[in-house]
Amino acid sequence: MSTLLELKDVKKHFPLKSDKILTREKPVLKAVDGISVAVQSGETLGLVGESGCGKSTAGRLALKLLEPTEGEIWFEGKNITSYKGESLRRLRKEMQIIFQDPYASLNPRKTIEQALSEPMKIFGMAKKERKQRVEYLLDVVGLSSYHKNRYPHEFSGGQRQRIGIARALALEPKLVICDEPVSALDVSIQAQVINLMEDLQEEFQLTYVFIAHDLSVVHHISDRVAVMYLGKIVEIGEAKELYSNPKHPYTQALLSAVPETNPQLEKERIILKGDLPSPANPPAGCKFHTRCPFAEEICRLQEPELKPVSEGGQLAACHFVKEVILQEQLS
Ligand SMILES: Nc1ncnc2c1ncn2[C@@H]1O[C@H](COP(=O)(O)OP(=O)(O)O)[C@@H](O)[C@H]1O
Ligand SMILES: [Mg+2]
């Protein structure tokens, strides 16, 4: 497998307004505060964490919809961090996004055909070809060609998300960032849309970054899962391993909140103390220490690094998880 997308120590700090004009350090909100992750061609990386932890910002950075404050973005082996103009425009074809609420990004006065053919028009596709492709795309996402003359308000939430998916696929992208694509849908519809996305991934060899605030949503679609807390990845690993053997106390707490379908496996719910701190004023040391049931002195003082915690490649950032020294590192 080859690496399609890589974030290298990427940060996004948003400037905040300050009353003190003469302070030397400008106040910032650390939405993304140093994340490194490589996404392999054809895989689905789940990205989870509470609302406000920086998931959407990370997705937008990967797509070059936002400029990083620091760090690099690589795509297909090229450093695209400073791409602009024509090179960025060409790149746009390869990477697309699906939003939580496609309604917000669909023009209410344009028909579905107009909405879907817009990106094709921008990239110079002929009218006849566009028409054919719109019909093909509607079919591929489980809608009918007679839907093409309708307007966004005429569709249900699930159908609108299918349109959002069709639009993302219009230009045959390689990477699709799915930003909470099912969070606004009824549970019964969520499964249908996720199944559709899995089928499309196979058919078109897509690579997904699938964002959700809930670990249960990404369980089955993800090959690997990364857990974010206050702008950082605190744990990442193969989905199977991470769900069955979470190492970071935050992942353990998130998983303990997922309802168990098998009552015999009833687990103890870990209740996190306190509220999520603000990314404008994060705690020193381990950012999670204010809510961690196991925190000790060192956690308040020193930020833990993401380190290998299993032979299977799982990484976690916690002072109290034993680091696994991998054979390959020794040799
Ligand atoms: N354009 C922006 N300007 C200032 N702050 C922002 C901006 N976008 C996001 N934020 C802040 O960055 C943090 C992370 O936001 P976001 O990436 O949307 O989190 P998530 O998607 O995990 O809910 C939040 O505190 C949010 O308020
Ligand atoms: Mg978000």
Side-chain angles (χ1 to χ4, degrees):
M1 256 206 286
S2 62
T3 299
L4 183 66
L5 169 75
E6 190 169 2
L7 305 190
K8 297 186 181 179
D9 203 14
V10 169
K11 296 184 182 172
K12 183 67 192 178
H13 294 174
F14 292 110
L16 288 171
K17 288 208 179 72
S18 154
D19 330 323
K20 298 181 216 126
I21 305 162
L22 290 175
T23 45
R24 221 179 319 143
E25 237 178 271
K26 295 255 180 284
V28 291
L29 184 149
K30 298 176 177 176
V32 168
D33 201 23
I35 62 176
S36 296
V37 63
V39 184
Q40 306 304 313
S41 261
E43 82 165 334
T44 298
L45 176 74
L47 187 60
V48 295
E50 282 162 286
S51 174
C53 71
K55 305 178 298 292
S56 295
T57 304
R60 295 168 65 85
L61 286 165
L63 292 179
K64 292 274 304 159
L65 295 170
L66 278 177
E67 287 288 322
T69 310
E70 260 179 58
E72 293 176 355
I73 325 275
W74 288 65
F75 186 77
E76 291 193 304
K78 294 191 201 81
N79 184 348
I80 61 165
T81 319
S82 54
Y83 272 32
K84 287 190 179 65
E86 182 56 24
S87 52
L88 185 57
R89 200 182 83 99
R90 257 181 280 129
L91 195 66
R92 291 262 178 266
K93 242 173 126 262
E94 313 282 347
M95 21 168 80
Q96 293 291 323
I97 185 162
I98 300 173
F99 295 103
Q100 175 173 339
D101 178 13
Y103 197 52
S105 58
L106 286 170
N107 185 333
R109 280 184 293 271
K110 285 196 171 151
T111 65
I112 296 315
E113 174 160 33
Q114 289 168 329
L116 291 182
S117 40
E118 208 166 60
M120 304 177 207
K121 212 167 162 179
I122 292 172
F123 279 91
M125 199 185 278
K127 195 169 176 186
K128 190 172 154 216
E129 246 182 294
R130 293 202 302 262
K131 250 188 148 54
Q132 281 173 352
R133 183 142 180 89
V134 167
E135 293 191 5
Y136 171 73
L137 286 169
L138 286 174
D139 181 55
V140 152
V141 299
L143 295 169
S144 305
S145 66
Y146 66 78
H147 285 122
K148 71 184 178 193
N149 296 320
R150 299 200 176 161
Y151 291 87
H153 74 268
E154 297 177 71
F155 293 90
S156 68
Q159 285 176 321
R160 275 202 297 258
Q161 196 51 287
R162 286 171 193 266
I163 296 164
I165 294 168
R167 195 170 54 171
L169 299 184
L171 298 171
E172 301 181 77
K174 295 191 176 108
L175 172 71
V176 184
I177 306 276
C178 317
D179 194 353
E180 309 220 24
V182 299
S183 300
L185 302 176
D186 289 346
V187 176
S188 58
I189 311 287
Q190 285 187 0
Q192 292 174 13
V193 172
I194 290 184
N195 287 342
L196 169 69
M197 293 178 69
E198 284 189 301
D199 292 345
L200 295 173
Q201 175 170 44
E202 201 172 297
E203 191 166 346
F204 302 113
Q205 284 131 42
L206 300 167
T207 304
Y208 287 154
V209 174
F210 199 106
I211 298 173
H213 53 260
D214 180 341
L215 268 166
S216 64
V217 170
V218 295
H219 192 168
H220 296 291
I221 197 170
S222 300
D223 299 296
R224 286 188 307 144
V225 172
V227 178
M228 280 184 77
Y229 188 78
L230 284 177
K232 291 227 154 190
I233 292 176
V234 296
E235 180 157 12
I236 181 167
E238 296 286 329
K240 232 177 167 169
E241 212 178 7
L242 188 127
Y243 283 84
S244 61
N245 195 4
K247 301 282 192 185
H248 196 285
Y250 181 58
T251 315
Q252 290 167 359
L254 285 183
L255 272 176
S256 80
V258 173
E260 187 58 70
T261 41
N262 178 354
Q264 283 180 329
L265 290 174
E266 200 53 77
K267 57 205 159 187
E268 210 173 314
R269 174 122 192 229
I270 303 170
I271 310 280
L272 293 178
K273 44 184 186 178
D275 295 326
L276 185 66
S278 161
N281 188 17
C286 173
K287 287 182 174 179
F288 184 58
H289 86 256
T290 55
R291 298 170 80 196
C292 182
F294 312 110
E296 289 187 19
E297 190 61 18
I298 185 174
C299 311
R300 286 180 270 279
L301 299 172
Q302 197 183 321
E303 185 156 27
E305 285 195 35
L306 206 53
K307 62 193 179 191
V309 292
S310 84
E311 293 287 339
Q314 201 168 347
L315 308 174
C318 173
H319 290 299
F320 292 102
V321 182
K322 225 173 107 210
E323 179 167 12
V324 170
I325 308 295
L326 301 172
Q327 282 309 318
E328 60 213 76
Q329 288 180 347
L330 293 175
S331 61

